[in-house]
Amino acid sequence: MSRILVTGGAGYIGSHMCWELVGRGHEVLVIDDLSTGHEQALPPGTTLLRGQVGAPEIAAALAHEHARSPLAGAMHFAAKARVDESVRFPDLYFEHNTQQTLRLAQQLRELKVPWFMLSSTAAVYGNTSGELIREDHPVAPASPYGESKLRAELGLRDWAASGGERVAILRYFNVAGADPEMRTGQSTPQATHLIKLAAQTVVAFERGQASGASSSVSPTMQIHGTDYPTHDGTCLRDYVHVSDIAGAHLAVMESLMNSTTSSRDARVFNVGYGQPYSVREVLACMQDVSGVKFPIVEGPRREGDVVRVACDSRRLQAETGWAPRFADLKLICQTALAWERRLAARTL
Ligand code: UFG
């Protein structure tokens, strides 16, 4: 059993990670400011340091915790992750996603924590070409969000080259779904993600029916652009179940822990399935699993959207033995919807 630091552990991906770690007998220490996360998402027995990564009081509490019971390694999920917000407040994104990452890495070096994993994103690639994106695909972020993550990656690679830590960077594709055991899920109310919004639409529809509402305005999904050069005119994305993202971290963690030497270079891994789905296919799937034929309207393109994003994760599979367990769009939609129904039941 090891003690692992999980920053952002009360958030969407971080909380799934905490449950996976605890399920394997590890102890987790969480740093989270609860700006988008929820304390209830944490597994019992978790120690929570409430505040921002890099804040002086959190740094002091982290040093204290490490002195009390040493950390084996760190997984850094805490970040700002809204593309639209990053366009309005780029400096905020560079501060949170880039500077705070590098400050945390530096503190962990001083504490002699031997490995560090960074949560990154396919947004670093920007407009992609080719069928499946490999880690060596050129990077050209299309938003300050992607840029802030790329700068964190580059800073971390320089940092890794100057020390002895083992470092890994995971680039996620479109993360969706919820823990199949319903211990946690995506609870951020202002999410902009397609599958989360579709699940919210189903629940709004069901609530309207339950209350007998006769409003002429029914919950609706809008497709952002139907004139893309794809088989049905809508954008393609590689949706990956959040529990597989957590599983990928476990696989990388084990390989970092088993490796005795430092390569002095951060390893970069894509996490996705390599099976893209269109917006229309996702919405049809959500209608199918829910039995709710919510209206779908066709709108204009959304600024900044890229046509097709699909992942080549062969490096992750070959180097760590990671194998996806939930690579099924239906299961992703089912678990996202089940979680949304739970959230709705809580607020009734
Ligand atoms: N979409 C709609 N209608 C909606 C919401 C989304 O048509 O109501 C479409 C989008 O236009 C896009 C697709 O659904 O074509 C997926 O959109 P998401 O917002 O779910 O996800 P993105 O691909 O835009 O972005 C995601 C993450 C980002 C990350 C990026 C990396 O949300 O954080 O993948 O590729 F940067």
Side-chain angles (χ1 to χ4, degrees):
M1 187 193 96
S2 302
R3 190 173 201 223
I4 317 288
L5 174 67
V6 182
T7 74
Y12 174 39
I13 304 174
S15 62
H16 286 80
M17 192 70 243
C18 289
W19 282 97
E20 291 286 338
L21 286 167
V22 167
R24 277 163 183 73
H26 299 295
E27 192 188 330
V28 289
L29 172 66
V30 166
I31 298 177
D32 201 301
D33 63 5
L34 303 184
S35 56
T36 54
H38 301 267
E39 200 167 350
Q40 312 88 281
L42 294 169
T46 305
T47 305
L48 170 66
L49 305 179
R50 184 177 175 179
Q52 267 182 29
V53 170
E57 66 279 10
I58 292 297
L62 178 59
H64 174 78
E65 282 293 331
H66 182 66
R68 192 176 67 74
S69 171
L71 291 162
M75 297 182 181
H76 181 42
F77 295 94
K80 295 215 161 280
R82 287 185 62 113
V83 174
D84 56 341
E85 185 184 57
S86 79
V87 174
R88 282 179 287 128
F89 306 108
D91 291 349
L92 188 74
Y93 275 67
F94 294 121
E95 168 57 26
H96 277 262
N97 296 355
T98 311
Q99 301 301 346
Q100 286 186 7
T101 297
L102 302 179
R103 267 185 235 128
L104 175 68
Q106 191 52 34
Q107 187 188 5
L108 292 171
R109 173 168 290 171
E110 285 156 19
L111 298 177
K112 300 194 168 34
V113 177
W115 57 263
F116 185 92
M117 287 170 62
L118 173 67
S119 151
S120 190
T121 167
V124 299
Y125 295 116
N127 262 304
T128 57
S129 56
E131 281 292 296
L132 299 178
I133 304 164
R134 288 193 341 200
E135 291 83 353
D136 59 2
H137 186 284
V139 285
S143 68
Y145 165 65
E147 184 67 37
S148 69
K149 284 285 187 178
L150 179 60
R151 288 190 196 178
E153 286 193 10
L154 295 173
L156 204 60
R157 296 183 87 156
D158 286 347
W159 174 84
S162 66
E165 298 84 1
R166 284 156 269 154
V167 179
I169 294 165
L170 276 68
R171 293 177 177 160
Y172 320 143
F173 285 62
N174 285 62
V175 187
D179 174 33
E181 294 180 43
M182 291 291 114
R183 296 165 300 187
T184 185
Q186 162 69 290
S187 303
T188 317
Q190 304 94 358
T192 54
H193 298 152
L194 179 66
I195 291 182
K196 170 82 177 172
L197 285 175
Q200 285 177 326
T201 302
V202 169
V203 168
F205 211 93
E206 290 171 340
R207 277 187 154 188
Q209 283 184 339
S211 68
S214 58
S215 164
S216 57
V217 185
S218 65
T220 300
M221 281 301 294
Q222 184 179 133
I223 301 179
H224 300 322
T226 53
D227 59 347
Y228 285 98
T230 61
H231 65 281
D232 66 10
T234 67
C235 292
L236 297 167
R237 295 289 182 274
D238 192 339
Y239 296 94
V240 51
H241 193 283
V242 62
S243 299
D244 275 333
I245 297 280
H249 285 76
L250 284 178
V252 172
M253 177 181 96
E254 273 159 28
S255 84
L256 291 179
M257 285 170 110
N258 293 335
S259 119
T260 46
T261 54
S262 163
S263 67
R264 290 196 174 251
D265 188 20
R267 291 301 285 156
V268 179
F269 298 103
N270 283 342
V271 195
Y273 300 144
Q275 169 63 65
Y277 289 97
S278 73
V279 176
R280 286 193 205 280
E281 287 164 345
V282 169
L283 294 180
C285 184
M286 187 57 91
Q287 289 185 326
D288 184 37
V289 303
S290 65
V292 174
K293 298 280 176 250
F294 51 80
I296 298 172
V297 299
E298 299 187 357
R301 290 184 177 197
R302 188 174 70 175
E303 205 185 331
D305 274 343
V306 299
V307 181
R308 183 182 199 280
V309 186
C311 172
D312 182 334
S313 65
R314 276 177 298 179
R315 177 187 285 177
L316 177 67
Q317 300 186 29
E319 291 192 17
T320 72
W322 175 72
R325 292 176 297 158
F326 306 106
D328 175 4
L329 185 63
K330 216 167 170 179
L331 183 75
I332 293 175
C333 288
Q334 277 164 344
T335 54
L337 178 59
W339 181 255
E340 213 53 50
R341 285 179 173 147
R342 281 206 164 203
L343 287 180
R346 274 188 212 162
T347 56
L348 276 176

